[in-house]
Amino acid sequence: EAGVAQSPRYKIIEKRQSVAFWCNPISGHATLYWYQQILGQGPKLLIQFQNNGVVDDSQLPKDRFSAERLKGVDSTLKIQPAKLEDSAVYLCASSLEQLHYSNQPQHFGDGTRLSIL
Amino acid sequence: KNQVEQSPQSLIILEGKNCTLQCNYTVSPFSNLRWYKQDTGRGPVSLTIMTFSENTKSNGRYTATLDADTKQSSLHITASQLSDSASYICVVQRTGRRALTFGSGTRLQVQP
């Protein structure tokens, strides 16, 4: 099966600019996650969707970050305006998990590496 | 506070040798523990998922153990290969919650 697709792979912008990332999950996966991974650390959950509804966005900096998952498939994550501390890899993951939590593994894309100048 | 601590932070071993990575967690109530392998510049890939009732689980040369009483897990790599060079991340999920708590990972380097 095709994996989680993300684009772009790399992005360099100046602080205060805006940027958007795109994610296409594995076909049939109901749950989609966006993570931020700072160099040397484990991923930190930003937002979790169940189909096209938000399940958890408690760690999303809502003053500058936004995400949507129209039609319950593809998703975009936007940062506006970007700050220096937003330099990180943004990972998208998906899983088969339906209404309740399960032991389904999360399948990750290769991420977008964002550098803020 | 729900935390996952991994040790060592980094490790260098020679090709063909075995190694063991450690994970201690305070996440409660516990649902499952996962080990992921993350190659440089790639997303994490699931190695094992263990629930409360499972003590050990293998995936090829990777064997994970879990002691839910002491809240410890280990990942044992047998007969290491150059391709095992990667970060290994321990992840714990709480019962009833979907969010995962990630450790910071152990960076393993296998040298020829």
Side-chain angles (χ1 to χ4, degrees), chain B residues 9-93:
Chain B
Q9 277 192 315
S10 61
L11 182 62
I12 300 174
I13 63 174
L14 293 176
E15 187 178 12
K17 298 296 185 181
N18 303 336
C19 68
T20 301
L21 314 180
Q22 300 292 340
C23 174
N24 296 337
Y25 61 92
T26 59
V27 176
S28 182
F30 173 86
S31 172
N32 61 74
L33 184 144
R34 308 165 183 223
W35 282 94
Y36 282 86
K37 177 187 179 188
Q38 186 173 24
D39 292 316
T40 301
R42 306 296 299 274
V45 174
S46 179
L47 294 175
T48 62
I49 299 176
M50 289 184 293
T51 60
F52 184 89
S53 60
E54 296 174 296
N55 300 116
T56 185
K57 183 167 279 190
S58 293
N59 178 356
R61 294 179 297 101
Y62 301 102
T63 299
T65 64
L66 173 64
D67 186 335
D69 292 331
T70 62
K71 297 186 178 181
Q72 296 180 326
S73 176
S74 65
L75 181 68
H76 186 75
I77 304 175
T78 303
S80 61
Q81 300 176 359
L82 297 178
S83 59
D84 293 331
S85 295
S87 288
Y88 292 84
I89 304 174
C90 177
V91 187
V92 180
Q93 185 171 33

Side-chain angles (χ1 to χ4, degrees), chain A residues 7 10 20 54 59 82 88:
Chain A
S7 66
Y10 305 92
V54 176
Q59 298 191 86

Side-chain angles (χ1 to χ4, degrees), chain A residues 48-103:
Chain A
Q48 178 183 344
F49 292 95
Q50 184 78 24
N51 296 308
N52 60 349
V54 176
V55 172
D56 185 350
D57 63 355
S58 57
Q59 298 191 86
L60 185 74
K62 298 180 184 66
D63 57 332
R64 298 184 300 105
F65 286 66
S66 65
E68 60 182 9
R69 190 183 184 196
L70 299 176
K71 300 180 182 179
V73 182
D74 294 6
S75 177
T76 57
L77 176 69
K78 297 179 181 178
I79 307 175
Q80 182 178 13
K83 292 185 175 181
L84 293 175
E85 60 261 35
D86 297 333
S87 293
V89 175
Y90 290 85
L91 294 165
C92 178
S94 69
S95 71
L96 274 171
E97 184 178 339
Q98 295 294 330
L99 293 176
H100 303 290
Y101 96 90
S102 69
N103 296 329

